[in-house]
Amino acid sequence: MATLPHFIAESPPVRDQLGPWSQGAELAYCRSLDGMILEANVAFARKLGRPPTDLQNRPLVELVHVDDAGQLQATLDEIARPPHRTTAYHRWLTPQGVRWLAWEEVAVQDTTGAITSVRATGRDITLQRLAEEQFYRLSRAVEQSPVAIVITHLDGRAQYVNEKFTEVTGRTLEDLLDGNVDVLRDGHPDTASYEAFWSTIRAGGEWRGELATTRGAAGTVWESVKVSCLRGSSGEITNYLCLREDITERKRLEGRLRQAQKMESLGTLAGGIAHDFNNLLAVILGYAELCQQRRSEPAVIDKGLREVHRAADRARGLVRQILTFSRKTEVRFSSVDLNQVARELVMLLTETFPRTVVFQLDLQENLPPLLADASQVQQIVLNLCVNARDAMPAGGTITLSTRARGGATLPGGAMADLQRDYACVTISDTGIGMPPEVRQRLFEPFFTTKPPGQGTGLGLAVVYGIVIAHHGFIDVESTPGAGSTFNVFLPLNGAASPVALAAGPTEFPRGTESLLVVDDEKALRTLLSTALSGRGYRVATAATGLEAIELLRDGSRRFDAALLDLNMPGASGIQVLKTIRSSCPLLKVMVISGLAGADTRASLKQLGNPLFIQKPYSLDEMGRKLRHLLDTPISDG
Ligand code: ADP
Ligand code: MG
């Protein structure tokens, strides 16, 4: 008997300590004060994957997760105090891995009241514990989410808002409830939009949108908003979940992106234009000088004037281009001759691109016009040509071709509308080409493979945006090392006829009517007056708006038409036009001006939309339009 541990000798027989628990389904065991198992019931032994006898006299530290072993000892202090019981949670090492067990621990006392051992009864709470952990993880994710989250009742009253929501709006859940705030209403521009939103989510749908909200000091904030339904176990809608994410920065970048692109392309264009202009000016100056020197030789003067006219005509085309390009206004659709765009750009780019890059044009004759924004179509071709140049650092060929294609003839998978006809403009290069991983990301904004400072990654993003806005699509083929081909498909303008070619210079029609020419630029005034009197018209001139107004009010001369410049110091053309409309309503008006901004266009519209000719113009164009104006009876409108 002396070999037995002395605690057995002093304690009641081991089996008795578990009492009624020794056979039950509940886990139960009994441990000594120094951490040995004295007795384990069948259920507990099964949990640990051993026969009950195998557990006897084993130290608990072998069976409990190391982080929890210390706790077993700590429990003893608590049990020493009445009511001599406590609860505890430990992780146990079992054949199914670590399990969480919850225990009710009670002191076992001898007849003198001294504590001799601890009896623990418990159950496996691993599943519950995992569920709780999952729950805490999820609620932390919602609480600490970088996205503002609101959960509402079915009537839209807030039920929960997360920290981010309070941070960005400055409102807590209490604020919302106290103020009876309709939290889902935030940012909807009008009642119709808000009602459409409700009918979507009430029907169980998901609503997404971008809303602008005013937020005190932060000013206007753009948010991407998603609202969806939360459903109960039987599928019924129980709540709405609203996620709001600040996208102000992205919006700002998008705006900058377009502008940056325009600047970049403008830089490229400006280089070409300055070069072209210099050449044209050299031609004009040269011939003007020649004519002055050889005044007496009609043949020289004749040739000189023809050349001056030709050069100035080209210069006019260039100025038109810059004007279309720099116009910051909204997209304006008109008939666009794609071949013309291609020809003009190639002419410009030939000047700016390295000499080792050669252009080849392959344009389909009589290509019907596009319905498009001319400057944006230019931008597409320009950006693709710039990329082609960049892909050929050692030089090569850029081929620009145009073709009309029926939607039904286009390759499968294309997003073509089968009923429509498309113009396909193809820009292909003999450059480095691109691997599939580049091809996949090509159109992403800011995606570039070029070193910093050389690539913006915006070129193709802009091309893509424009093409989509025109209901077109793009197709890219590339072989690494051999080159790339970009096919851009843009819908043709079904209704319109092919773009009319500008009429060649002829003498404009004669007339005898009385005209008033108003322009502050002396050279232009003299030119108009000389040209018009030469064709039989009677011409008076005014150098300022005020002078014109006086002439009109004076009434000593009757005019049939006024040719009116808009931008003049003092009284502007618009003011002169107002006087005309009020005091001589029968006078016909032709407005001649450079770029007219949106304000001016609106004023002109209000003043009866007079005939408008854009500077620079040809005398011939002006003369024909004037004749037409004079011959058209005034409508009674
Ligand atoms: P960026 O020219 O500023 O890099 P883009 O959006 O114009 O931005 O082009 C994105 C990327 O697509 C380029 O960096 C290049 O890797 C690739 N890429 C575009 N065009 C071509 C081309 N013709 N040949 C080869 N790679 C091209
Ligand atoms: Mg580019």
Side-chain angles (χ1 to χ4, degrees):
M1 289 308 272
T3 56
L4 281 176
H6 76 266
F7 62 84
I8 291 187
E10 288 177 9
S11 308
V14 164
R15 285 205 74 84
D16 293 351
Q17 296 192 4
L18 281 180
W21 285 281
S22 61
Q23 296 303 321
E26 202 173 5
L27 311 178
Y29 79 99
C30 196
R31 70 172 190 262
S32 66
L33 299 184
D34 54 358
M36 305 290 273
I37 290 193
L38 299 175
E39 188 190 352
N41 77 350
V42 177
F44 181 54
R46 198 175 287 138
K47 178 62 72 183
L48 296 182
R50 302 159 192 259
T53 46
D54 194 36
L55 287 171
Q56 255 171 38
N57 300 330
R58 261 182 197 279
L60 280 157
V61 285
E62 282 179 13
L63 302 166
V64 173
H65 192 283
V66 333
D67 292 350
D68 294 347
Q71 234 194 328
L72 285 164
Q73 205 53 35
T75 329
L76 291 180
D77 295 337
E78 235 184 299
I79 288 184
R81 293 189 297 270
H84 306 296
R85 56 172 62 232
T86 183
T87 52
Y89 305 90
H90 313 126
R91 281 162 291 176
W92 292 72
L93 310 175
T94 80
Q96 311 127 44
V98 176
R99 309 290 295 182
W100 277 97
L101 305 183
W103 298 105
E104 176 88 28
E105 303 195 338
V106 182
V108 178
Q109 289 157 298
D110 63 12
T111 45
T112 67
I115 297 173
T116 55
S117 61
V118 177
R119 188 182 63 229
T121 53
R123 61 206 164 85
D124 188 327
I125 54 156
T126 310
L127 284 180
Q128 185 190 331
R129 189 81 190 203
L130 286 177
E132 275 167 17
E133 273 174 16
Q134 176 79 342
F135 172 79
Y136 285 120
R137 223 182 347 260
L138 284 177
S139 45
R140 271 201 312 275
V142 172
E143 269 154 29
Q144 298 168 22
S145 159
V147 175
I149 297 177
V150 183
I151 297 173
T152 73
H153 295 282
L154 290 183
D155 58 6
R157 261 180 314 122
Q159 189 178 52
Y160 169 85
V161 302
N162 73 346
E163 287 165 17
K164 184 73 184 179
F165 177 89
T166 303
E167 181 193 319
V168 297
T169 63
R171 293 187 297 198
T172 61
L173 182 61
E174 289 71 41
D175 298 339
L176 293 178
L177 296 178
D178 290 349
N180 217 357
V181 177
D182 193 356
V183 66
L184 297 177
R185 179 79 173 77
D186 246 9
H188 283 277
D190 49 43
T191 319
S193 145
Y194 189 44
E195 277 168 3
F197 155 81
W198 266 110
S199 52
T200 305
I201 60 168
R202 254 196 216 108
E206 185 188 75
W207 187 91
R208 289 158 186 259
E210 292 182 355
L211 299 177
T213 321
T214 316
R215 290 265 154 76
T220 300
V221 175
W222 276 97
E223 287 176 320
S224 157
V225 180
K226 289 189 195 105
V227 180
S228 53
C229 306
L230 296 181
R231 290 175 188 277
S233 50
S234 54
E236 81 287 5
I237 301 176
T238 56
N239 297 87
Y240 296 116
L241 172 70
C242 172
L243 308 182
R244 311 182 73 108
E245 195 171 7
D246 192 323
I247 53 162
T248 314
E249 183 63 10
R250 196 190 84 200
K251 282 272 181 196
R252 208 170 51 81
L253 280 176
E254 277 172 6
R256 283 239 306 260
L257 180 150
R258 294 203 153 266
Q259 204 48 32
Q261 261 302 303
K262 200 174 273 173
M263 299 308 290
E264 191 187 304
S265 338
L266 205 59
T268 308
L269 267 185
I273 287 167
H275 185 276
D276 263 27
F277 240 102
N278 260 339
N279 284 346
L280 296 172
L281 286 178
V283 171
I284 293 172
L285 288 172
Y287 276 105
E289 223 177 290
L290 200 67
C291 289
Q292 275 166 343
Q293 285 163 5
R294 300 164 66 175
R295 261 174 251 263
S296 53
E297 297 170 52
V300 173
I301 294 199
D302 201 45
K303 159 119 176 88
L305 288 178
R306 263 205 318 271
E307 290 301 329
V308 166
H309 187 270
R310 266 234 310 261
D313 202 49
R314 275 198 59 203
R316 178 177 63 159
L318 284 179
V319 170
R320 282 236 164 106
Q321 273 219 41
I322 304 176
L323 290 183
T324 8
F325 232 97
S326 57
R327 196 167 281 154
K328 256 182 91 175
T329 49
E330 54 323 335
V331 187
R332 295 212 309 190
F333 285 90
S334 63
S335 254
V336 175
D337 180 354
L338 188 56
N339 286 349
Q340 182 73 16
V341 170
R343 271 192 225 103
E344 279 175 7
L345 265 174
V346 167
M347 230 159 66
L348 275 167
L349 297 180
T350 310
E351 302 293 346
T352 43
F353 282 8
R355 293 272 165 249
T356 47
V357 173
V358 180
F359 277 96
Q360 209 173 348
L361 273 174
D362 172 16
L363 307 178
Q364 178 180 330
E365 290 298 318
N366 301 322
L367 188 71
L370 298 175
L371 182 61
D373 183 302
S375 67
Q376 295 204 340
V377 173
Q378 266 173 338
Q379 178 112 51
I380 294 178
V381 181
L382 177 63
N383 288 5
L384 293 177
C385 286
V386 168
N387 280 346
R389 175 201 66 190
D390 294 347
M392 303 189 293
T397 307
I398 301 180
T399 309
L400 231 149
S401 65
T402 56
R403 293 284 182 274
R405 303 277 301 266
T409 70
L410 295 176
M415 306 166 350
D417 177 345
L418 301 185
Q419 309 301 321
R420 286 191 98 143
D421 289 335
Y422 289 83
C424 173
V425 54
T426 303
I427 287 106
S428 57
D429 63 63
T430 54
I432 52 173
M434 48 193 142
E437 62 274 19
V438 170
R439 240 183 75 178
Q440 268 166 19
R441 304 191 50 197
L442 217 49
F443 297 106
E444 279 176 29
F446 305 111
F447 174 77
T448 180
T449 57
K450 294 167 194 172
Q454 287 185 33
T456 58
L458 301 178
L460 290 178
V462 165
V463 167
Y464 185 82
I466 296 177
V467 169
I468 294 302
H470 281 79
H471 307 291
F473 53 94
I474 315 178
D475 175 55
V476 185
E477 296 153 27
S478 179
T479 314
S484 314
T485 299
F486 286 76
N487 295 305
V488 178
F489 296 87
L490 295 169
L492 286 174
N493 184 5
S497 53
V499 178
L501 285 178
T506 48
E507 293 240 77
F508 61 82
R510 306 182 64 88
T512 55
E513 284 88 347
S514 175
L515 307 174
L516 173 61
V517 171
V518 191
D519 201 312
D520 60 325
E521 180 72 45
K522 181 158 186 283
L524 283 180
R525 212 163 57 230
T526 317
L527 174 68
L528 273 179
S529 134
T530 314
L532 289 166
S533 349
R535 303 299 295 157
Y537 290 102
R538 284 167 292 138
V539 185
T541 58
T544 65
L546 289 177
E547 201 182 319
I549 291 175
E550 255 165 48
L551 262 175
L552 290 165
R553 289 238 172 93
D554 170 25
S556 60
R557 268 189 83 163
R558 210 194 54 79
F559 295 105
D560 297 295
L563 282 68
L564 203 54
D565 180 29
L566 284 185
N567 292 320
M568 291 181 290
S572 73
I574 294 284
Q575 275 164 297
V576 178
L577 188 55
K578 280 183 186 154
T579 311
I580 293 177
R581 291 300 189 223
S582 62
S583 48
C584 359
L586 292 183
L587 182 64
K588 293 183 172 171
V589 178
M590 176 167 178
V591 171
I592 303 177
S593 179
L595 193 55
D599 287 356
T600 312
R601 270 184 279 138
S603 310
L604 285 177
K605 205 166 170 188
Q606 266 184 6
L607 290 166
N609 237 350
L611 176 63
F612 184 92
I613 293 196
Q614 171 137 30
K615 281 180 186 173
Y617 53 90
S618 77
L619 282 175
D620 187 63
E621 176 192 359
M622 183 277 307
R624 283 168 190 283
K625 289 193 170 155
L626 175 66
R627 191 62 257 157
H628 184 72
L629 176 70
L630 288 167
D631 291 340
T632 314
I634 290 189
S635 65
D636 29 26

